[in-house]
């Protein structure tokens, strides 16, 4: 077992390294920081944008599957 902090993995498929870095920076800098609310809003906007992009990609993949092989869909 390694010493130090354990890495927590997100089970959300859209949660990538950019989200992980943003969250890490927010946690490090959020303690009694005057821009905490602004940073939180930016982090939530990033999450929302990533989730939407992932949902659009999955919808396109499903539409492609429905057109290519309706029986498998």
């Amino acid at each position: 077992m390694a010493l130090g902090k354990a890495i927590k993995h997100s089970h959300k498929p859209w949660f990538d390294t950019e989200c992980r870095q943003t969250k890490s920076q927010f946690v490090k800098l959020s303690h009694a920081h005057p821009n905490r609310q602004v940073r939180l809003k930016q982090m939530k906007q990033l999450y929302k944008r990533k989730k939407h992009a992932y949902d659009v990609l999955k919808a396109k993949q499903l539409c492609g599957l429905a057109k290519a092989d309706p029986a498998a869909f």
Side-chain angles (χ1 to χ4, degrees):
M1 188 167 135
L3 296 175
K5 292 184 179 180
I7 297 174
K8 293 183 180 180
H9 296 283
S10 175
H11 296 284
K12 299 172 183 85
W14 52 266
F15 197 89
D16 60 1
T17 55
E18 183 181 5
C19 294
R20 194 168 289 113
Q21 289 173 350
T22 303
K23 183 176 180 179
S24 175
Q25 288 175 353
F26 173 76
V27 170
K28 287 178 185 176
L29 300 175
S30 67
H31 301 291
H33 198 272
N35 292 332
R36 184 179 192 286
Q37 294 299 325
V38 173
R39 290 186 180 276
L40 180 62
K41 184 177 178 180
Q42 291 172 345
M43 186 174 69
K44 286 183 178 183
Q45 288 174 342
L46 173 68
Y47 290 173
K48 187 175 181 179
R49 189 174 68 245
K50 292 285 185 169
K51 186 176 185 309
H52 178 72
Y54 177 78
D55 290 342
V56 168
L57 176 67
K58 282 298 180 183
K60 286 181 181 179
Q61 289 175 346
L62 284 174
C63 287
L65 178 63
K67 290 178 184 177
D69 190 7
F73 178 71

